[in-house]
Amino acid sequence: MKAFVDQDICIGCSLCCEIYDAVFRMNDDGKAEVYQAVTGEEQDHVQDAIDSCPVSAIRWED
Ligand code: F3S
């Protein structure tokens, strides 16, 4: 599965990176981005980040 951070919505709070930095990192624009595909075991961590993002900027990609 792949996750996606909507750059127009992210406010750069970096919470997702604190929750799971194996998948999320901050980019030069001060927004979060996904830099790794998500393996099955990691899905719960990514879902935690999705649920915790204050502006709901993170989604699963189809
Ligand atoms: Fe941005 Fe949400 Fe992460 S605001 S930095 S995608 S927790």
Side-chain angles (χ1 to χ4, degrees):
M1 292 182 77
K2 284 186 75 176
F4 168 78
V5 176
D6 189 324
Q7 301 293 291
D8 293 332
I9 298 175
C10 174
I11 56 171
C13 78
S14 77
L15 186 58
C16 53
C17 304
E18 291 170 27
I19 290 172
Y20 203 52
D21 64 4
V23 165
F24 299 99
R25 68 181 174 199
M26 300 303 288
N27 63 26
D28 291 342
D29 295 329
K31 308 285 180 85
E33 65 182 13
V34 173
Y35 71 99
Q36 290 284 350
V38 181
T39 64
E41 295 172 1
E42 296 177 317
Q43 287 182 19
D44 285 352
H45 299 292
V46 172
Q47 188 63 52
D48 273 351
I50 290 173
D51 294 341
S52 301
C53 176
V55 292
S56 302
I58 312 168
R59 299 192 290 270
W60 291 112
E61 250 181 359
D62 294 332

